Amino acid sequence: MEGLVQALRYALRTLSRSPGFTASAVLTLALGIGAATAGFTLLNWVALRPVPGIREPSRAGFVEFAAQDEHGYRPNGLTVSQRDLVLRGSPAVSGLAGREGPMAVNAAAEMSAAGRVSAEFVTSDYFTTLGVATPLGRGFVAEDDAPPLGNRVAVISDRLWRDLFAARSDVLGLPLRVNGLACTVIGVAPPGFRGPNLFDPVDMWMPGATEWDIRHLDPARRQAESDYRFVLRLRPGASFDQAERQLSTAIRALAVADTAHFSPPVSAQVLPGLGLDALHGAKEGIDHQLRLIIGIAALVLLVACANVANLLLLRRAQRRSDAVVRLALGASRFRLVRYALTESVLIGVASGILGVLVALWVNGLFHRFRLLRYISMEGLRLDWRVIGFAAAAGLLAAVFAALLPALVGSRADLVGDLKASGPTQAGGAPMLRTGLAVLQVAVSLTLVAGTYLFARTLQHYAQVPLGFDPAGVTVFHVDPKAQGYTPQQARNYLQALRARSAALPGVETATFASLTPFVGVFNIDAVRRADAPTDAKPTGAASQQVSGDYFSALRIPLLRGSTFQPGDLWPDSAQRVGKVILSAELARKVFGADDPIGRLVVLPFYRSNGTAEVVGVVGDVHWNERGGGVDPILYSPVGQQATPYGPMLVLRSRLSAATLERRTQLIGRSLDPAMPIESRGPLSDAVAAAISSQTVLFRLAGLLSAVALLLAAVGCYSLIAYGITTRVREFGVRMALGARARDILRSAARPAVTIIALGVVCGVGGAMYLTRFIKSSLYGVSPLDPVAFVAAAVLLGAAVLLASWIPARRAAKVDPMVALRCE
């Protein structure tokens, strides 16, 4: 213990005497640790942290019942009675709770404006299966979920409790209007719990039996029981593999007995753990983004460690005479290594603390630009895992960077080193120092090449014509059907909302659409020429309901025919033939070179005998992504099929989005205070969000590659500068014998050329291998684009040569007499 205290005192005293070295080492490692910690924070938030509020989350997971055959993967929901049969045949499973949703509902507390809330309809054992204890009130009981309508009760999230009820302790029993219907709050979920899936955070839970009532669904279409997706809990001692085998056996037996509901072969797929539902379609893309971020951060940490290792090697070489004297006086090599490692641990601790601050800043970048488009990053924060990672990363990086220098510094030839001790002493491990510098250059080249590829991707995206103009367009969502409006009431409300919004000063166009590009996911319709054979394969198309001035609002060009007329909107139910507009791509696929105007198409899902007349053709638009091909789109008039389910109010205006949002919501409250109008924000923001991951990756890669480039340049500067100090006598002798300044300059800079050459060769090879992993994030550029590697090599070469030229130029100005006198 005494030896450790002595080593600690010595390290503190030594570091305080070299503030420049200490600051350089700490800042260098802090940048690398901060990048790595930010990547780990994201990984922890998405995949590692347990879902808050769940007891023993290691025994919980998702389960999906599905049929897999030549037609693909088809999920199968289960009713409660079917669930009970499957559960009896699965002794490894203690609970199997159903969930339907999440889905948006209108919610309003007493004396508050209505808002849109994400809700789930669940079975009565939902909270007990997950192990969620409500700090206020209770969860559901069987009576709440009893057919046919259950009890209109709700458990709300801690966040909703604070937003709607100002965290009132007497919230239990208070009224809550959901979709215009009176409900009662019976419980508040624990802080942080918003359902088991990060993709779909939830703020309200209601009994499954209330769904048809709450959603105002047609009683004629009501099923005896609802289908659910499920979460499970294992019995103590059971495994997820056991549960999957038992559930698969039980569901296959049920499928044989109930062929009307199931299409064998059916099996169960169990996904251990909660938080990130692996069955969700976006998970693969999120995993890829996480791997890229962590990979980039790891490369920067590697450069930082190599840089600090080189600084320590140079420092050990400069202090070699001190080590030799200590060894000559009887100090053991273990003690010298312990002193060096203690010094490095102190650097690591300071770097870890500073690295946490860097990570907080990078995490803010992630949140601001919505790096993970499909996951809520609300409350992204550092927890004990992240703090532990930063501490471990700081210590390991410091030890890793210091171990080789410490071992090298402890090896000494006492007699030879004492004789050689002096200003021109070269020190040990020149090959190791050069190798570390080459490693920095190689890794930096990889990062710079990746940054160039991301920059080219964003440039190509910017050059893709969207087919519409999002500037000045703001989108709002309103859902009269969810509020229980009849079709006529919904029509009157929407028409009044549109007229009053259009009358706002600064509003150029007000229109409705069931969806807009980059806001929402369209439905797929089937379109076939009416004069085609009945067995002809129809063309799949995105289906959208719009008002006639929708195209002028988004500035989508009319290519042929006309847009919808006032009589086409909300048509009389006796109308026999509907009207549709085709995008140019859909017109080409359905009619080829023929003129589609006035022709009929068959639409199986339309009420007007499935037939509609083509009245116009408009330009193509990109829907949810800027890259790739355009989507064939079928436009029909608002109200032609039925009352629009949650239409979008689309406003083109010269006003700011905030001003327009405030004024539109005032109009909405004046028409119906219980009807929320949800702002989806400027359409240009939605377009930018579509490439947010590439934008953040570019900015992050650019920032970290700049850091790596700076570290590589500083490392080479230090190496060349130290090398020159060991060759002062040589330069003095050569200049005394007639060598010119440019000869000395060339000789001093030659090691930098070697480092550049080796670093570029290794870096290009590594970059060609590593850039393959970012292929799916690129657009319009190959991961092996030679321009990227040439540009990165030139940039790195210039930076290293510039850094090396400064000490080399000083060497060329050495006074021979001064150099020889110093020696």
Side-chain angles (χ1 to χ4, degrees):
M1 185 66 182
E2 182 180 350
L4 181 61
V5 172
Q6 183 182 5
L8 187 60
R9 288 176 178 172
Y10 176 78
L12 286 171
R13 186 167 59 249
T14 304
L15 291 175
S16 64
R17 289 174 179 171
S18 306
F21 163 79
T22 304
S24 299
V26 169
L27 288 174
T28 298
L29 268 188
L31 289 171
I33 292 169
T37 302
F40 179 80
T41 304
L42 203 59
L43 175 67
N44 174 63
W45 183 255
V46 172
L48 300 181
R49 69 183 176 109
V51 176
I54 292 183
R55 174 179 52 85
E56 295 183 89
S58 61
R59 291 202 290 121
F62 296 100
V63 59
E64 178 96 341
F65 300 99
Q68 180 77 45
D69 55 23
E70 66 275 9
H71 300 294
Y73 181 86
R74 300 194 307 278
N76 257 112
L78 267 65
T79 65
V80 172
S81 57
Q82 291 167 337
R83 183 277 310 265
D84 293 342
L85 292 174
V86 170
L87 191 56
R88 286 195 206 107
S90 308
V93 180
S94 65
L96 201 58
R99 47 195 284 264
E100 178 63 24
M103 58 191 71
V105 297
N106 302 335
E110 204 173 21
M111 304 300 292
S112 70
R116 298 286 282 176
V117 168
S118 180
E120 263 189 338
F121 295 92
V122 299
T123 54
S124 59
D125 57 346
Y126 176 80
F127 290 105
T128 55
T129 297
L130 286 177
V132 175
T134 53
L136 280 178
R138 63 174 177 86
F140 302 124
V141 296
E143 181 184 347
D144 296 325
D145 197 28
L149 297 178
N151 294 329
R152 287 188 199 160
V153 292
V155 175
I156 59 176
S157 70
D158 180 82
R159 188 180 80 97
L160 193 63
W161 173 52
R162 297 178 187 280
D163 288 349
L164 281 188
F165 295 97
R168 289 176 56 176
S169 58
D170 60 345
V171 67
L172 302 181
L174 290 182
L176 175 69
R177 299 195 69 80
V178 181
N179 286 351
L181 300 176
C183 302
T184 303
V185 177
I186 62 168
V188 177
F193 178 74
R194 297 186 65 192
N197 191 353
L198 283 176
F199 283 110
D200 298 304
V202 179
D203 278 312
M204 182 189 301
W205 297 267
M206 301 190 71
T210 66
E211 178 183 358
W212 289 75
D213 183 29
I214 294 294
R215 295 179 59 197
H216 303 284
L217 298 177
D218 184 358
R221 295 174 49 239
R222 182 188 174 97
Q223 302 174 6
E225 292 185 276
S226 296
D227 285 343
Y228 293 100
R229 296 171 300 129
F230 292 90
V231 291
L232 63 76
R233 176 167 290 275
L234 296 178
R235 293 190 186 279
S239 70
F240 286 105
D241 287 340
Q242 283 179 304
E244 183 170 277
R245 288 194 299 270
Q246 293 172 5
L247 289 169
S248 293
T249 300
I251 194 64
R252 290 190 191 108
L254 183 61
V256 170
D258 189 359
T259 56
H261 191 273
F262 299 96
S263 54
V266 179
S267 62
Q269 182 180 0
V270 173
L271 302 164
L274 302 174
L276 190 63
D277 188 344
L279 296 174
H280 198 289
K283 181 182 183 295
E284 183 178 347
I286 289 173
D287 284 346
H288 177 69
Q289 292 174 34
L290 284 174
R291 287 194 294 269
L292 284 181
I293 292 167
I294 293 170
I296 292 172
L299 289 177
V300 174
L301 182 57
L302 180 61
V303 172
C305 288
N307 189 285
V308 173
N310 236 340
L311 288 176
L312 290 172
L313 275 172
L314 297 175
R315 181 175 171 82
R316 298 288 178 267
Q318 291 170 341
R319 296 168 57 196
R320 189 175 182 83
S321 60
D322 178 64
V324 170
V325 171
R326 286 177 175 274
L327 287 171
L329 293 176
S332 66
R333 293 184 177 180
F334 171 76
R335 175 177 291 185
L336 294 184
V337 171
R338 184 176 63 186
Y339 283 164
L341 291 180
T342 304
E343 184 178 298
S344 300
V345 166
L346 290 177
I347 291 174
V349 170
S351 302
I353 295 172
L354 192 58
V356 170
L357 300 179
V358 175
L360 285 171
W361 179 79
V362 177
N363 286 337
L365 184 70
F366 292 160
H367 190 276
R368 178 183 174 188
F369 292 100
R370 292 185 60 196
L371 174 62
L372 302 182
R373 187 180 177 192
Y374 299 100
I375 285 187
S376 170
M377 296 177 68
E378 179 184 344
L380 178 67
R381 62 185 180 273
L382 308 184
D383 59 16
W384 65 268
R385 293 178 186 79
V386 177
I387 301 299
F389 175 86
L395 292 176
L396 291 176
V399 171
F400 172 78
L403 192 56
L404 281 176
L407 293 175
V408 169
S410 68
R411 292 202 304 266
D413 176 9
L414 293 182
V415 176
D417 286 342
L418 284 171
K419 289 180 178 179
S421 180
T424 60
Q425 183 181 351
M431 294 296 294
L432 177 58
R433 295 198 300 269
T434 301
L436 289 171
V438 169
L439 174 65
Q440 293 179 69
V441 172
V443 174
S444 300
L445 188 144
T446 301
L447 290 171
V448 172
T451 301
Y452 173 86
L453 293 174
F454 284 129
R456 291 286 291 160
T457 292
L458 293 178
Q459 183 182 14
H460 283 296
Y461 273 132
Q463 293 171 350
V464 174
L466 292 171
F468 65 95
D469 180 12
V473 176
T474 305
V475 181
F476 300 86
H477 181 266
V478 59
D479 195 352
K481 277 189 69 176
Q483 200 69 8
Y485 278 38
T486 65
Q488 186 59 47
Q489 288 173 329
R491 173 179 176 176
N492 294 340
Y493 175 86
L494 293 174
Q495 288 180 335
L497 177 62
R498 177 184 177 277
R500 294 183 61 175
S501 299
L504 287 173
V507 173
E508 299 174 7
T509 310
T511 186
F512 279 112
S514 55
L515 298 166
T516 67
F518 295 89
V519 180
V521 180
F522 51 70
N523 295 319
I524 300 296
D525 230 325
V527 185
R528 178 172 54 83
R529 293 174 60 155
D531 56 0
T534 55
D535 59 349
K537 184 178 179 180
T539 300
S543 179
Q544 190 179 9
Q545 295 186 61
V546 301
S547 297
D549 45 5
Y550 167 83
F551 303 102
S552 62
L554 265 65
R555 295 179 180 164
I556 299 174
L558 177 67
L559 304 180
R560 275 177 282 180
S562 64
T563 59
F564 299 127
Q565 304 303 311
D568 299 329
L569 308 175
W570 310 98
D572 185 88
S573 59
Q575 180 177 322
R576 302 295 298 169
V577 178
K579 305 291 179 67
V580 293
I581 294 173
L582 311 181
S583 69
E585 177 69 7
L586 181 58
R588 184 189 64 79
K589 287 188 172 184
V590 175
F591 290 97
D594 296 342
D595 185 2
I597 303 302
R599 308 286 288 275
L600 298 180
V601 291
V602 176
L603 309 166
F605 304 115
Y606 273 33
R607 63 164 176 79
S608 52
N609 291 333
T611 304
E613 176 189 356
V614 178
V615 298
V617 176
V618 296
D620 292 317
V621 302
H622 286 268
W623 191 270
N624 268 329
E625 58 181 22
R626 299 196 70 151
V630 295
D631 297 290
I633 303 178
L634 172 75
Y635 300 95
S636 59
V638 167
Q640 178 166 291
Q641 298 185 63
T643 303
Y645 186 80
M648 303 289 183
L649 173 64
V650 182
L651 303 180
R652 175 171 286 281
S653 170
R654 298 185 300 274
L655 301 173
S656 68
T659 301
L660 190 60
E661 176 181 346
R662 184 172 60 254
R663 294 181 180 179
T664 303
Q665 289 179 341
L666 285 174
I667 292 173
R669 282 196 286 272
S670 68
L671 293 173
D672 183 352
M675 178 80 73
I677 296 182
E678 177 188 13
S679 174
R680 296 294 182 90
L683 189 55
S684 55
D685 287 357
V687 172
I691 57 172
S692 59
S693 61
Q694 285 90 347
T695 301
V696 174
L697 286 173
F698 164 67
R699 297 188 182 201
L700 181 64
L703 173 66
L704 296 183
S705 64
V707 170
L709 185 64
L710 177 63
L711 293 179
V714 170
C716 289
Y717 170 86
S718 303
L719 185 65
I720 301 302
Y722 176 75
I724 287 172
T725 62
T726 65
R727 298 174 65 189
V728 169
R729 184 172 183 272
E730 174 197 338
F731 291 150
V733 171
R734 291 177 61 182
M735 294 183 74
L737 295 176
R740 290 170 297 183
R742 66 170 177 266
D743 298 325
I744 301 299
L745 182 64
R746 188 182 305 114
S747 177
R750 188 174 294 120
V753 175
T754 302
I755 291 171
I756 292 172
L758 293 175
V760 166
V761 170
C762 297
V764 167
M768 291 178 69
Y769 175 75
L770 293 175
T771 51
R772 298 182 306 164
F773 297 102
I774 66 174
K775 183 177 181 180
S776 61
S777 298
L778 303 179
Y779 174 72
V781 62
S782 166
L784 300 179
D785 184 2
V787 178
F789 301 110
V790 171
V794 169
L795 179 61
L796 268 167
V800 173
L801 279 177
L802 177 62
S804 305
W805 176 78
I806 298 173
R809 186 169 177 269
R810 285 205 307 266
K813 294 182 177 182
V814 168
D815 185 337
M817 295 306 297
V818 173
L820 293 173
R821 189 179 302 121
C822 288
E823 195 60 28

